[in-house]
Amino acid sequence: MTENDPNAHNPAAPRHPETGQQPAQGGWAGNPYGEQAQPESGGAPQYSEPSYHAVTGADPAYGGQTANPWSAPGAQLPSGQTQQSVYPPANPYGQPGTSGYPVAAPEPKRSGGKLLAGVALVALLVGGVAGGTVGYFTGGSSGPAGNALDAPKPAQQTGNAPAGSVEAVAQKLSPSVVELQVSGQQGAGEGSGFVISTDGYILTNNHVVEVGANGGQIQAVFQDGKKAAAKVVGRDPTTDIAVVKVNGVGNLTPVELGRSDDLRVGQSVVAIGSPFELAGTVTSGIVSSLHRPVRAGGSSGDQTTVMDAVQTDAAINPGNSGGPLANMAGQVIGINSAIYSPQSASGGQGGGSEGGNVGIGFAIPIDQARRTADTIIKTGQAVQTYIGAEVKDAPQGGAELGTIKPGSPAEKAGLKSGDVVTKIDDRPIDSADTLVAAVRTRAPDEKATFTLADSRTVEVTFGGQPVQPN
């Protein structure tokens, strides 16, 4: 052997830490890092992090000209060109040129007082798995495994629902709530209603039944599956209230009507109806606000229907219209009529919108609905409360009166065109809709004090006029 022979023995050359053999030229054959990849610190080499497509997760280097992220950094092809990405990736832990997933290296020994951090990490991971395995077998040996499927069923629920619970309200009201399926020349739809008498009167919304009012068909579907044809007794588009009647159905259970004049914001309520034809759906929430002026059932450009609504966050969707909103005693305190729907073409409220629940629903106060329904049943016609003046929003706030109808309650009280109403009794009036809603909550012949913007007060006696449904 000569001094330049690569196979010559060199006593000064380092030896393999396990075999004691000296390395061939180029470093240890078993060293995955090689002399060039071995960091001086003794830690793991710094490989490039893989890059993935933001959407697909694919490696953008695949088939491209960028360096293979799984190869040692700076790896060169024999021609000196940058190595292209290949698949499967090169194995940094195996023999040069091999590919596949990395395998654990033999247990490392300390060399020069430094531990290879990359191999130490593998050892820690293996140790963690081994420790978990030992714990698993140790824990399993303490006794037979429990299985929920082998446990006996709990005792069956018995007794009535707790008083004041949503469950109790649902049990009380559900037999009285009906689904109304309506069809006519202008289309078809469905909504809800509730029984108010043992002889078949049902209270609902005008917009639920109006397409079936003139020559159309209305069918009531009860909780027990019974069906019966219904006829419109009377309806009031100005308050969005209607009464229909079924015949030939016995054992009807009427609801208990509550009162809406003493509702409080935050009070718990329950809504029942047939949203999206899902009959008997029960939802719950609270009273979110009171005396909310809402246009529903009429176009967004007029005051055909402005109601003094009870606002709730109980889930209300298309098909809930006409169903009851009840307090926790199971008493009906409102008729679900409209929802706020950002998806509606008008961008506002509308019972006919197909937008879904966003936690803002509106119900007609039962005090107003009770009075209207009673008049309809007794006379076949609704009576609208009015003052006989056109009205619009005042620029400075309040409701500005326009044309005053001769002989109307407004004229008799001395109100003039141009007067701006800012309060009715103790209720502030901030817009035309608020004035209309406030008037319609009152009964004909009832008196109220109007406060004007110039601080004058005027006593008005409300009038009543028959409603002619279109």
Side-chain angles (χ1 to χ4, degrees):
M1 295 183 185
T2 64
E3 185 173 302
N4 295 325
D5 188 343
N7 296 318
H9 174 72
N10 182 4
R15 298 178 181 273
H16 192 286
E18 294 187 9
T19 64
Q21 296 178 354
Q22 291 179 322
Q25 186 176 7
W28 303 113
N31 180 4
Y33 305 113
E35 290 184 347
Q36 300 300 322
Q38 179 79 32
E40 291 183 358
S41 65
Q46 303 300 311
Y47 292 102
S48 302
E49 289 293 327
S51 176
Y52 296 102
H53 191 280
V55 176
T56 65
D59 181 359
Y62 180 70
Q65 299 297 323
T66 57
N68 179 4
W70 300 112
S71 301
Q76 301 291 322
L77 293 175
S79 63
Q81 298 177 354
T82 304
Q83 179 177 326
Q84 295 185 7
S85 173
V86 294
Y87 185 86
N91 178 7
Y93 296 105
Q95 294 293 335
T98 62
S99 63
Y101 293 101
V103 296
E107 183 177 354
K109 293 186 178 181
R110 294 184 179 274
S111 176
K114 298 180 180 179
L115 181 66
L116 299 181
V119 181
L121 176 61
V122 174
L124 288 172
L125 293 175
V126 172
V129 173
T133 303
V134 171
Y136 173 83
F137 283 112
T138 301
S141 63
S142 61
N147 190 326
L149 300 176
D150 297 329
K153 293 181 180 179
Q156 189 172 9
Q157 296 186 54
T158 59
N160 296 326
S165 66
V166 175
E167 181 184 0
V169 175
Q171 288 182 358
K172 179 179 180 178
L173 275 182
S174 291
S176 305
V177 180
V178 300
E179 179 183 6
L180 295 175
Q181 300 172 346
V182 185
S183 62
Q185 294 181 350
Q186 297 180 345
E190 59 88 32
S192 305
F194 53 92
V195 178
I196 56 175
S197 71
T198 57
D199 56 349
Y201 286 105
I202 295 173
L203 190 55
T204 184
N205 285 144
N206 172 69
H207 75 259
V208 169
V209 300
E210 62 181 341
V211 298
N214 299 313
Q217 294 181 340
I218 303 173
Q219 181 174 247
V221 183
F222 295 85
Q223 183 194 36
D224 59 5
K226 293 180 180 178
K227 299 180 180 181
K231 296 292 184 181
V232 174
V233 177
R235 55 193 184 92
D236 180 6
T238 66
T239 58
D240 198 22
I241 294 171
V243 177
V244 300
K245 191 174 188 297
V246 295
N247 295 308
V249 181
N251 299 320
L252 296 182
T253 303
V255 300
E256 179 185 358
L257 298 179
R259 53 188 302 164
S260 52
D261 60 354
D262 62 353
L263 290 175
R264 296 178 175 85
V265 174
Q267 178 176 337
S268 296
V269 289
V270 175
I272 305 179
S274 304
F276 300 108
E277 301 184 31
L278 300 173
T281 297
V282 178
T283 57
S284 64
I286 62 169
V287 173
S288 303
S289 183
L290 295 168
H291 306 298
R292 185 75 76 189
V294 174
R295 298 187 184 194
S299 67
S300 60
D302 60 35
Q303 296 163 335
T304 300
T305 300
V306 178
M307 61 180 176
D308 193 46
V310 177
Q311 182 180 327
T312 180
D313 68 348
I316 297 174
N317 289 286
N320 270 112
S321 291
L325 185 70
N327 59 23
M328 301 313 290
Q331 300 167 333
V332 177
I333 50 87
I335 305 175
N336 300 319
S337 181
I339 60 174
Y340 177 82
S341 177
Q343 299 176 2
S344 65
S346 65
Q349 302 90 359
S353 169
E354 287 302 313
N357 168 62
V358 293
I360 304 177
F362 305 100
I364 302 168
I366 198 61
D367 292 348
Q368 178 180 351
R370 181 202 290 262
R371 185 178 65 252
T372 301
D374 185 58
T375 303
I376 288 174
I377 293 173
K378 290 179 178 178
T379 67
Q381 192 174 37
V383 174
Q384 179 191 61
T385 304
Y386 80 111
I387 62 171
E390 294 181 350
V391 62
K392 65 179 180 179
D393 292 342
Q396 68 273 29
E400 182 178 341
L401 302 182
T403 302
I404 306 295
K405 184 178 180 179
S408 66
E411 184 187 58
K412 292 178 180 178
L415 292 171
K416 306 292 183 182
S417 177
D419 284 343
V420 177
V421 180
T422 59
K423 187 183 291 187
I424 296 181
D425 289 338
D426 294 329
R427 178 174 178 174
I429 303 298
D430 58 2
S431 68
D433 280 2
T434 304
L435 175 60
V436 173
V439 169
R440 288 178 178 168
T441 61
R442 303 300 184 101
D445 298 327
E446 187 177 341
K447 299 180 185 295
T449 299
F450 282 44
T451 301
L452 307 181
D454 58 7
S455 299
R456 289 186 295 123
T457 59
V458 177
E459 186 178 74
V460 178
T461 301
F462 297 109
Q465 59 186 7
V467 176
Q468 299 296 332
N470 50 7

